[in-house]
Amino acid sequence: MSLSVVIVNYNTRDLLRDCLQSLKNSTIAPEVIVVDNASSDGSPAMVADEFPGVRLLAQSENTWFCGGNNIGICVATGKYVLLLNPDTAVAPDALEKLVAHMDAHPETAGVTAQLHYPGGEIQRTCSRIPTFAYLLAQHTVLGMIFPAWRGRLADHHWYRDENFTREHTREVEVLPGSCLLMRREDILLNGALKLYFPEDDLARRFRGRRFYFLADAKITHREKSSTHSWLATRIYFEDMLIYTRTHHGWWRMALLWLLSCPLYGAMWVKAKMKV
């Protein structure tokens, strides 16, 4: 088996069905593993009934994105593992192109596809590894005080300073966790994280190796917005601090926490007012 696809699902039954159907139409037949994080919408039953060839790992509790993917990775048998969101649909030849690039370029650590919305608009994926300055500018009051500085850092982070339009294949630093293919022995995620920054953590761990965005491998991504909640916001800040401590040290984490408190507090108040 050359490729295993790991999909972590949480209450996205209908989207997951479309994703699994698209994988059945792929020009290569991957091992497909669905890790269900204790969904309440009937997702496990749908997978078992409609896709008997899929390996279903139904969890009794929410193991989150990183934990769920690691569960799938640990049982995968493919040479390569693709982490894929359940709100995606792959073009028939997309997986074949991703695997072919990895086979042809053994020095490459990982690849991703061109993700686009159902209407055809290309999504902004792939970035540079976030610098500590970028984290400060985007998540603290400093970015509000110095908006021009924040804008320059954001342009650099998202390759806007190089006019990267995601229409051509190129080397990048960070691949999106929604579609991330690496060798099975390399792709295990940082278990200290729940939802955010695992792809940035991987990029730092494999810095010096090559990651590629492949424009000719097409995947539709609906970008489900279930994580747009106060819980997701709280976890985002928690994961950001864990990531910062891991790669920038304790004192930078403490400084980021201190300077992000006003923004975090304002977001908490806004969330409570909506209740």
Side-chain angles (χ1 to χ4, degrees):
M1 180 68 66
S2 63
L3 176 64
S4 297
V5 178
V6 175
I7 303 170
V8 176
N9 176 74
Y10 181 67
N11 289 331
T12 60
R13 180 189 59 196
D14 295 336
L15 292 172
L16 175 62
R17 178 187 289 113
D18 293 342
C19 178
L20 294 176
Q21 186 58 51
S22 74
L23 290 172
K24 287 183 67 174
N25 298 329
S26 174
T27 54
I28 61 173
E31 173 186 45
V32 181
I33 301 166
V34 171
V35 181
D36 186 81
N37 275 333
S39 294
S40 58
D41 67 346
S43 290
M46 181 277 294
V47 174
D49 292 343
E50 301 179 26
F51 300 93
V54 170
R55 184 167 185 181
L56 173 64
L57 303 177
Q59 306 301 300
S60 60
E61 61 182 10
N62 191 346
T63 60
W64 303 100
F65 178 82
C66 294
N69 273 303
N70 283 347
I71 289 170
I73 292 166
C74 286
V75 303
T77 61
K79 177 182 179 181
Y80 305 112
V81 173
L82 171 67
L83 306 185
L84 189 66
N85 273 16
D87 56 352
T88 59
V90 303
D93 61 351
L95 301 186
E96 185 175 2
K97 289 178 176 179
L98 293 174
V99 170
H101 184 96
M102 293 292 288
D103 283 342
H105 303 279
E107 76 283 358
T108 298
V111 293
T112 190
Q114 182 194 80
L115 302 182
H116 56 86
Y117 295 105
E121 180 185 358
I122 299 173
Q123 294 181 7
R124 183 185 68 181
T125 62
C126 302
S127 68
R128 290 186 168 96
I129 296 173
T131 63
F132 182 63
Y134 173 82
L135 295 173
L136 285 175
Q138 297 300 313
H139 304 100
T140 75
V141 294
L142 293 179
M144 301 176 184
I145 297 172
F146 304 106
W149 172 64
R150 180 180 61 189
R152 287 194 300 271
L153 288 172
D155 287 345
H156 178 75
H157 179 76
W158 291 108
Y159 293 107
R160 287 195 293 260
D161 57 349
E162 295 183 7
N163 195 31
F164 175 28
T165 60
R166 281 87 181 159
E167 294 176 336
H168 304 286
T169 294
R170 63 163 288 170
E171 184 176 352
V172 295
E173 291 186 8
V174 180
L175 306 179
S178 52
C179 174
L180 171 59
L181 187 148
M182 295 179 69
R183 291 173 182 83
R184 176 162 47 91
E185 64 270 20
D186 293 339
I187 200 171
L188 203 66
L189 304 181
N190 184 344
L193 302 169
K194 288 183 177 179
L195 277 170
Y196 301 99
F197 294 92
E199 55 275 274
D200 303 296
D201 180 84
L202 278 173
R204 281 196 172 272
R205 280 193 274 148
F206 289 90
R207 198 165 194 171
R209 300 278 299 280
R210 292 184 170 182
F211 291 89
Y212 277 92
F213 166 86
L214 304 185
D216 61 343
K218 313 287 187 180
I219 293 181
T220 302
H221 185 205
R222 293 173 177 82
E223 243 183 358
K224 184 176 180 291
S225 59
S226 62
T227 54
H228 296 171
S229 65
W230 169 247
L231 175 61
T233 300
R234 191 193 77 194
I235 292 173
Y236 180 89
F237 276 83
E238 291 173 356
D239 282 349
M240 178 179 67
L241 294 176
I242 292 170
Y243 170 82
T244 303
R245 181 190 67 201
T246 302
H247 296 289
H248 296 287
W250 281 93
W251 76 266
R252 287 188 176 88
M253 182 203 73
L255 178 61
L256 181 59
W257 172 79
L258 181 65
L259 293 176
S260 67
C261 278
L263 178 60
Y264 181 85
M267 296 174 74
W268 179 84
V269 170
K270 184 178 180 179
K272 289 299 180 180
M273 291 177 65
K274 291 182 177 179
V275 176

